[in-house]
Amino acid sequence: MDDASQIHIPESFIRLHARPNQPRPAHLAEHIARRFEVCDDMATALVTRAQEVQFKLGVTEADVIDKVLDGLLELAGEDADSVLSPPEARWVVCHMAEQLGWAEHLSPELRAMGGGLLQ
């Protein structure tokens, strides 16, 4: 992104803001950096919650991932007032799973979307 920024934004997140068949993102670097901070913070905050859900409900990691994704997609929208866009919601779930060591439990769709995030 920007040389002045101290934040490393993964390529997988930058791709969320790219125009189809265009090499440059559709948004300014500052906008992408702000969105990344929101999504990164949300993924980190969901780590503990995901562990609690798994423990309390006695479900698999994949079930927790699905439940978290469903909840985030309910919040997501395409308008400016939305907390997350649907692609950002999916990225947050991938990032959460990575932090938990659950990346192998992601669906093939989410694993492909995660791209460089999961490497």
Side-chain angles (χ1 to χ4, degrees):
M1 299 292 331
D2 182 270
D3 287 341
S5 175
Q6 297 295 318
I7 301 170
H8 169 72
I9 301 173
E11 186 65 31
S12 61
F13 191 82
I14 295 170
R15 282 195 310 266
L16 299 180
H17 299 276
R19 297 178 185 115
N21 301 318
Q22 297 289 322
R24 295 179 48 138
H27 301 286
L28 297 174
E30 297 82 23
H31 172 80
I32 295 172
R34 281 193 308 274
R35 298 304 308 150
F36 172 73
E37 287 188 57
V38 168
C39 291
D40 185 50
D41 289 347
M42 186 171 290
T44 300
L46 286 169
V47 165
T48 302
R49 181 70 181 131
Q51 291 170 322
E52 290 170 354
V53 166
Q54 184 186 28
F55 178 75
K56 287 180 182 176
L57 299 181
V59 296
T60 67
E61 290 88 348
D63 290 336
V64 175
I65 289 168
D66 290 343
K67 288 179 185 310
V68 171
L69 179 59
D70 290 345
L72 289 180
L73 288 174
E74 286 181 25
L75 296 173
E78 297 296 337
D79 59 353
D81 294 338
S82 296
V83 174
L84 297 171
S85 69
E88 287 174 337
R90 290 179 183 90
W91 187 92
V92 165
V93 169
C94 289
H95 192 39
M96 177 201 73
E98 178 190 46
Q99 291 179 53
L100 286 163
W102 294 358
E104 69 271 11
H105 301 288
L106 291 168
S107 68
E109 174 195 10
L110 286 176
R111 190 177 303 235
M113 183 258 150
L117 175 70
L118 303 174
Q119 297 174 357

